[in-house]
C-alpha cells in the first residue's frame, strides 16, 4: 500500500482565509527563499461590500513569475459519477507527480467540519497527500474546534463531498511548484504597491465601484466594529493583524538586505503597529465572548490610531526605497 505526502506548512503568516493560507502553505514548504518571495506579496488590502475585509493579491500563486504551474478541470459534479471518471485514482496520480490539489467540496460530507450532516455548505479544500492503506487523503483546514489543523479525509467522504457539490460546475485545480524558481525583490514594483496602499488605490487598472482599497479600507474597520451588535466576524480581526505581520516581515527583510538604512524602523513598526494589531484581534474574541460594547469603542479608537501610525512609518519606508 502506497503513501505519498507532499510538504505543506500550516504555520503561515495569513490564515484568515483558505485562499491565502493554502498557497502560502505550499510555497513556504517548497521555497528556501520564501521570505524574499513574500516581500513582494500581499501589500495592499481591500474592502468589498460582499466579502468585507481582505488582503489583496492578484497573483498569490506567482503564475506570471513562473513559480507555479497549474492545470484546471471544470466539470459538473454529477458528471463525475455518471462518466465513470475515477477521481480518487486521478488525484493520487497527480499527487505522485508532485501536484497539490485544491477545489471546493460540500462540508455536509466532511466529518471534521462544522457543517457535517447539518447543512450543505461549499468550501475550499486542499489535498497534499494520500495513504492507500488507510484510504485517506491528507488535508488541512479550519475544523470543528475552530483551529487550523491537519486532518485525514477518507476517499469515500471526499468523493461524496465533490459529486454532491451544490453548484453547476466545479473546478479541480492541480498545482506544481517550479523547484528551480529563485525569487527576487522588484523594488520599483514594491514601491508602487506601497504607494497604492497609502493612497488607497488598486494595484493595476480599474476599480470596481463596490471595492475600497488600502488605508481607506482599514479605516472602515473602525466603523465596522462600532456597528456590531452581537457578534464580530473573527476573520476580520485576524486579517487586520496578519496583514501587519506580513508588513513587519517585509520591512525586516528590506532592512536585512540593506534596501533601507533606518535601524529603528522594524522596532517602531512592531511596537506601535503590529503588537497593537494583535490586541485588536484579541479584542474581537473578547467581545464575542463578553458582549461588552466598551471593547467596540476601544477597538474603533485604537484602529484609527494604528492606521495613522502605520501611514507615517510606511511613508518613511517608501521615501527610503
Amino acid at each position: 500500500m502506497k503513501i505519498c505526502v507532499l510538504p505543506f506548512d500550516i504555520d503561515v503568516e495569513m490564515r484568515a482565509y483558505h485562499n491565502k493560507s493554502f498557497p502560502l502553505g505550499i510555497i513556504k514548504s517548497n521555497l528556501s527563499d520564501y521570505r524574499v518571495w513574500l516581500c513582494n506579496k500581499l501589500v495592499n488590502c481591500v474592502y468589498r461590500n460582499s466579502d468585507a475585509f481582505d488582503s489583496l493579491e492578484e497573483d498569490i500563486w506567482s503564475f506570471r513569475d513562473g513559480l507555479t504551474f497549474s492545470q484546471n478541470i471544470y466539470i459538473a459534479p454529477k458528471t463525475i459519477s455518471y462518466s465513470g471518471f475515477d477521481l480518487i485514482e486521478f488525484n493520487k496520480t497527480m499527487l505522485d507527480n508532485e501536484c497539490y490539489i485544491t477545489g471546493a467540496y460540500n462540508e455536509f460530507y466532511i466529518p471534521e467540519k462544522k457543517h457535517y450532516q447539518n447543512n450543505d455548505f461549499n468550501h475550499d479544500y486542499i489535498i497534499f497527500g494520500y495513504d492507500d492503506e488507510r484510504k485517506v487523503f491528507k488535508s488541512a483546514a479550519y475544523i470543528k474546534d475552530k483551529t487550523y489543523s491537519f486532518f485525514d479525509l477518507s476517499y469515500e467522504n471526499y468523493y461524496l463531498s465533490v459529486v454532491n457539490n451544490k453548484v453547476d460546475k466545479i473546478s479541480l485545480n492541480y498545482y506544481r511548484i517550479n523547484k528551480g524558481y529563485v525569487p527576487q525583490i522588484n523594488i520599483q514594483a514594491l514601491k508602487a504597491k506601497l504607494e497604492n496602499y497609502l493612497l488607497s488605490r488598486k494595484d493595476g487598472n480599474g476599480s470596481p465601484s463596490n471595492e475600497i482599497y488600502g488605508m481607506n479600507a482599514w479605516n472602515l474597520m473602525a466603523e465596522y466594529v462600532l456597528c456590531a451588535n452581537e457578534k464580530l466576524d473573527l476573520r476580520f480581526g485576524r486579517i487586520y493583524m496578519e496583514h501587519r505581520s506580513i508588513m513587519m516581515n517585509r520591512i525586516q527583510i528590506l532592512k536585512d538586505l540593506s534596501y533601507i538604512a533606518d535601524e529603528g524602523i522594524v522596532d517602531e513598526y512592531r511596537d506601535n503597529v503590529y503588537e497593537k494589531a494583535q490586541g485588536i484581534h484579541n479584542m474581537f474574541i473578547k467581545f464575542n465572548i463578553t458582549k461588552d460594547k466598551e471593547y467596540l469603542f476601544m477597538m474603533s479608537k485604537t484602529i484609527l490610531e494604528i492606521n495613522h501610525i502605520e501611514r507615517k512609518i510606511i511613508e518613511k519606508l517608501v521615501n527610503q526605497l
Side-chain angles (χ1 to χ4, degrees), residues 53-257:
F53 302 95
D54 194 4
S55 286
L56 187 64
E57 180 52 58
E58 295 183 352
D59 191 22
I60 188 67
W61 291 97
S62 286
F63 294 128
R64 291 192 295 266
D65 298 339
L67 170 60
T68 311
F69 307 110
S70 71
Q71 294 177 309
N72 310 96
I73 299 173
Y74 300 93
I75 190 170
K78 293 298 182 184
T79 301
I80 296 174
S81 56
Y82 295 157
S83 67
F85 172 54
D86 195 332
L87 178 60
I88 304 303
E89 287 301 318
F90 185 80
N91 279 355
K92 287 161 57 179
T93 298
M94 296 302 280
L95 288 162
D96 286 338
N97 285 278
E98 300 186 325
C99 290
Y100 295 82
I101 306 164
T102 71
Y105 54 22
N106 187 344
E107 287 193 357
F108 182 89
Y109 299 92
I110 310 299
E112 289 75 18
K113 304 292 280 188
K114 67 177 181 180
H115 297 283
Y116 177 59
Q117 294 190 344
N118 184 27
N119 60 287
D120 293 312
F121 184 78
N122 292 346
H123 205 187
D124 299 337
Y125 69 81
I126 185 166
I127 291 173
F128 52 86
Y130 67 87
D131 182 337
D132 252 349
E133 182 174 356
R134 299 178 56 234
K135 298 188 183 306
V136 297
F137 286 119
K138 299 295 182 178
S139 188
Y142 278 102
I143 56 177
K144 283 179 180 177
D145 65 3
K146 299 181 180 179
T147 63
Y148 187 60
S149 305
F150 294 117
F151 68 96
D152 290 338
L153 173 58
S154 76
Y155 293 164
E156 180 181 8
N157 286 334
Y158 169 72
Y159 182 82
L160 290 172
S161 73
V162 172
V163 299
N164 290 290
N165 218 310
K166 302 303 180 182
V167 293
D168 293 334
K169 284 189 176 182
I170 59 170
S171 175
L172 303 169
N173 311 305
Y174 301 90
Y175 301 101
R176 188 173 183 180
I177 298 297
N178 174 9
K179 299 297 181 63
Y181 177 83
V182 179
Q184 296 180 334
I185 298 175
N186 184 331
I187 286 296
Q188 291 307 311
L190 177 58
K191 184 174 181 179
K193 286 184 176 182
L194 289 166
E195 289 172 341
N196 287 337
Y197 180 60
L198 290 172
L199 296 171
S200 300
R201 298 185 306 209
K202 181 183 178 183
D203 301 326
N205 298 321
S207 177
S209 60
N210 64 338
E211 295 185 352
I212 298 172
Y213 301 94
M215 298 302 299
N216 284 351
W218 292 134
N219 287 337
L220 284 176
M221 182 79 81
E223 297 181 24
Y224 164 76
V225 297
L226 282 180
C227 295
N229 187 10
E230 294 297 322
K231 188 177 181 180
L232 291 168
D233 191 322
L234 295 181
R235 296 175 303 171
F236 303 161
R238 175 172 283 279
I239 202 71
Y240 188 78
M241 171 187 68
E242 291 177 338
H243 192 88
R244 280 145 187 85
S245 171
I246 290 176
M247 188 69 77
M248 183 175 68
N249 289 332
R250 177 177 297 114
I251 296 171
Q252 180 69 62
I253 194 71
L254 290 170
K255 177 179 173 294
D256 291 346
L257 295 177

Side-chain angles (χ1 to χ4, degrees), residues 240-294:
Y240 188 78
M241 171 187 68
E242 291 177 338
H243 192 88
R244 280 145 187 85
S245 171
I246 290 176
M247 188 69 77
M248 183 175 68
N249 289 332
R250 177 177 297 114
I251 296 171
Q252 180 69 62
I253 194 71
L254 290 170
K255 177 179 173 294
D256 291 346
L257 295 177
S258 301
Y259 284 106
I260 53 177
D262 190 333
E263 290 293 329
I265 194 169
V266 177
D267 291 342
E268 183 183 7
Y269 191 90
R270 182 187 61 245
D271 296 344
N272 296 291
V273 178
Y274 172 63
E275 290 184 357
K276 291 182 179 179
Q278 282 184 308
I280 295 297
H281 177 237
N282 292 334
M283 281 192 276
F284 265 64
I285 298 170
K286 289 177 181 178
F287 171 75
N288 281 359
I289 295 171
T290 67
K291 311 304 179 187
D292 184 350
K293 294 200 171 183
E294 282 300 315

